[in-house]
Amino acid sequence: MRTLESAVMAPSRSTALTAALLFVGLSLVVVPLLVPPDVPDDRVAYAVEADWSDYQNHPNRAYGNLSADARAVFDAARTNGSGRVNVSYGDAPEAIRPPREGIDVWDVRYEGSYYLLEGRHLTYEADFGTQILPRAAAVACGAVLALVGAFRTVVR
């Protein structure tokens, strides 16, 4: 009489190892290629400095003439202890949005005083050491494991 264990064909250890090598190897190749690196959106960093002057080479803005969004950014940076505030590039007010990869400065007249308002466009790229290199290493290791699994399949 046959037992249940003998009726079910259990894969040999060699077959299980080959399947594991192929599965892990292909996973290590495919996942880093499908999932993009985690890169933050472009940002605009605004900085406000008090006790400024009216410089001729800086465009002037009157606080009352700024849009509600621009006033909110100016007020947030002015009242922040560091004098800085970051917003997403798409959410930055158009009137005080610096050009891509650039810096713009404005003299803002607020309650009889001039303030320097600086807008700096910040762009982020995938860092080589923490995002690109580990992905490349995973793909290389996965390729080696998959090749070993394929070699074991063909040779056997």
Side-chain angles (χ1 to χ4, degrees), residues 2 21 29 31 35 44 50 52-53 56 63-64 88 95 100 104 116 124-125:
R2 293 176 59 187
L21 285 170
V29 169
V31 170
V35 178
V44 177
W52 201 250
S53 290
Q56 289 184 353
Y63 179 81
S88 175
R100 288 204 175 270
D104 263 348
L116 172 72
Y124 298 98
E125 297 175 357

Side-chain angles (χ1 to χ4, degrees), residues 18-147:
T18 302
L21 285 170
L22 286 172
F23 177 75
V24 171
L26 291 175
S27 297
L28 283 173
V29 169
V30 170
V31 170
L33 297 176
L34 291 181
V35 178
D38 185 24
V39 180
D41 294 336
D42 284 0
R43 311 284 295 165
V44 177
Y46 289 103
V48 172
E49 292 184 26
D51 300 328
W52 201 250
S53 290
D54 181 13
Y55 289 102
Q56 289 184 353
N57 59 343
H58 296 171
N60 280 334
R61 302 278 194 264
Y63 179 81
N65 293 340
L66 292 175
S67 67
D69 293 342
R71 280 195 302 264
V73 167
F74 177 78
D75 288 338
R78 185 177 54 81
T79 58
N80 188 355
S82 66
R84 300 186 180 282
V85 67
N86 279 333
V87 297
S88 175
Y89 188 80
D91 295 337
E94 198 166 322
I96 58 171
R97 184 183 299 161
R100 288 204 175 270
E101 307 293 332
I103 300 172
D104 263 348
V105 292
W106 303 274
D107 296 330
V108 178
R109 185 164 175 83
Y110 175 74
E111 294 183 352
S113 299
Y114 280 96
Y115 290 80
L116 172 72
L117 174 62
E118 174 188 273
R120 179 185 305 248
H121 178 248
L122 305 173
T123 184
Y124 298 98
E125 297 175 357
D127 182 54
F128 180 77
T130 60
Q131 294 176 332
I132 302 296
L133 187 60
R135 289 170 176 276
V139 169
C141 289
V144 168
L145 291 176
L147 286 174

